[in-house]
Amino acid sequence: MEPVYVFSDAERAQLSAVLGSVAKNPYEDYEDFSRAVGDVIARGEVPAFFTDLCGRIHADRSSGACDAHVVRNCPLDDEIPLLDLDDPVADKHARKKTFVGEAFLELFAQLVRTPLLSYATRFNGDFFTDVVAINRYSGMQTGFSDSELVYHNDRTAHPVRADFISLLGMHCPEREFIYTGFVDGRDLLAHLSAEEQAELRTAQFITPFDVFSRDNNKDLTVSEVHPILENHHSFRYLDTCTTAAPDAPVAAKDALLALKNAIVRADKTRHRIRTGDLFTFANQDGLHSRDKMEINDAAAARQRWLLKTYAFRDEAAAERHADRWLDGVRGRVGD
């Protein structure tokens, strides 16, 4: 996938200097950190090239022109540790002393007007999480493993799901070819009949919670009965896992098979996230995957680290979930 923008080295250095001035720790007090980034905007310190870029991405999303964007040569911290894959979260908190990557993602979210959210039971409620191969999940179907991932949207079984996901390449080994696939929900609709779409819009499907969610909350087993297709082209679906409910009619099962065929037939984009790449895309208005196209050193591939944020579509979407915010922290949901 071609980048929508590539920072020059001079632009990257200029923006890095601005981000480095944010003297707050997002893992100790996210609200304080977020306000500090907002202060950078209020003081007019953000370079025009970045505000213009964020305005373009916001316009693309609002108009429906594009829901997936790549930005290359983004600012990163000067020192990026290789994380201990037994407990990468604790290792990051102990060893990462600067937060340029986090400030970049927060600034992007504020300028594109997509409020961040986090999950209270995941990663200590952090708003910046790590897509890494945690050792105990090796081979499992979770984003925190070294496995490929089928087409899905994040947290399919959960009642609150992000509208957008942003992934920042912190450490992406050059010789390992791992791609993130994306299929736009509108392209899926083109391969589904009106009758099939109507069935998919009915609450007659279930999705089991992933292993990582179950480990963090033992009460989670299977989602409530839910539709797969919502809004105009939002999909709530985890391939090979989302199924028709036990009492669903044959028509629902046929529609599910039609969706599986649509995923195969629909146009797709794929992007290989490199160190310094930002890949930001719709979570609900599309599906994404992880494809290991060529692995030359499995141990090196397992050290791949993407810094990740979840975001609501806009302030109105965030307000709709206000009753799920815990501990007085805006944007943190319960499960």
Side-chain angles (χ1 to χ4, degrees):
M1 186 172 175
E2 289 297 315
V4 66
Y5 195 86
V6 180
F7 290 119
S8 69
D9 289 345
E11 288 173 333
R12 181 188 61 190
Q14 183 183 0
L15 188 53
S16 291
V18 172
L19 299 170
S21 70
V22 178
K24 302 293 180 180
N25 186 330
Y27 305 108
E28 292 179 355
D29 189 333
Y30 169 74
E31 290 290 280
D32 204 22
F33 176 80
S34 180
R35 281 192 295 269
V37 173
D39 289 343
V40 168
I41 300 172
R43 292 193 298 267
E45 296 176 359
V46 182
F49 62 80
F50 191 55
T51 57
D52 291 346
L53 170 61
C54 292
R56 175 181 172 184
I57 292 174
H58 176 76
D60 281 352
R61 291 174 173 180
S62 298
S63 68
C66 184
D67 272 339
H69 297 84
V70 173
V71 182
R72 178 150 289 163
N73 200 31
C74 300
L76 297 176
D77 302 87
D78 290 337
E79 295 185 12
I80 299 175
L82 292 181
L83 299 179
D84 178 354
L85 299 182
D86 284 333
D87 192 345
V89 177
D91 192 45
K92 179 183 70 173
H93 288 178
R95 298 170 60 205
K96 192 171 188 295
K97 302 302 183 182
T98 61
F99 309 104
V100 172
E102 290 86 347
F104 175 74
L105 288 170
E106 176 68 27
L107 180 62
F108 174 77
Q110 291 194 26
L111 291 175
V112 182
R113 288 174 269 172
T114 53
L116 298 186
L117 71 144
S118 73
Y119 295 90
T121 58
R122 283 193 167 202
F123 302 123
N124 307 312
D126 290 344
F127 283 76
F128 305 93
T129 62
D130 310 301
V131 180
V132 291
I134 301 175
N135 284 333
R136 66 182 176 278
Y137 296 113
S138 179
M140 300 183 187
Q141 190 63 199
T142 171
F144 308 103
S145 76
D146 52 4
S147 302
E148 292 193 321
L149 297 178
V150 296
Y151 274 100
H152 67 288
N153 42 40
D154 273 25
R155 314 220 74 196
T156 313
H158 295 261
V160 180
R161 299 170 305 284
D163 294 303
F164 287 96
I165 289 172
S166 293
L167 299 171
L168 179 61
M170 300 293 283
H171 176 74
C172 302
E174 283 294 322
R175 295 181 63 248
E176 312 312 316
F177 293 82
I178 302 172
Y179 284 76
T180 301
F182 179 77
V183 55
D184 192 297
R186 287 164 291 201
D187 292 327
L188 292 174
L189 289 185
H191 296 277
L192 294 166
S193 70
E195 293 76 16
E196 290 161 348
Q197 292 182 34
E199 286 295 330
L200 294 173
R201 290 185 182 278
T202 304
Q204 50 192 357
F205 304 93
I206 55 174
T207 303
F209 285 88
D210 65 281
V211 62
F212 188 84
S213 295
R214 296 196 306 270
D215 282 355
N216 283 275
N217 186 343
K218 301 300 183 183
D219 293 332
L220 300 179
T221 54
V222 178
S223 72
E224 80 284 1
V225 179
H226 65 82
I228 287 177
L229 179 56
E230 301 174 300
N231 306 315
H232 180 261
H233 59 278
S234 299
F235 284 82
R236 185 177 178 182
Y237 180 72
L238 173 58
D239 200 20
T240 73
C241 293
T242 299
T243 61
D247 58 350
V250 172
K253 299 174 184 178
D254 289 342
L256 183 60
L257 290 174
L259 173 59
K260 291 177 179 290
N261 290 338
I263 292 172
V264 174
R265 295 168 179 160
D267 290 338
K268 304 173 186 68
T269 57
R270 289 183 174 86
H271 182 67
R272 179 190 173 208
I273 301 174
R274 301 179 184 178
T275 301
D277 274 8
L278 173 70
F279 188 20
T280 182
F281 53 88
N283 181 45
Q284 296 195 60
D285 288 350
L287 302 173
H288 60 280
S289 67
R290 181 196 294 160
D291 304 310
K292 297 167 68 174
M293 305 300 288
E294 182 180 339
I295 302 299
N296 295 294
D297 183 336
R302 297 187 77 253
Q303 288 289 342
R304 180 176 183 255
W305 173 19
L306 310 179
L307 195 63
K308 176 180 187 175
T309 57
Y310 295 116
F312 289 117
R313 183 179 308 278
D314 50 31
E315 289 287 347
E319 291 293 341
R320 285 197 295 273
H321 297 289
D323 61 335
R324 294 182 181 274
W325 298 341
L326 299 182
D327 305 325
V329 178
R330 191 172 187 279
R332 179 170 292 154
V333 297
D335 59 359

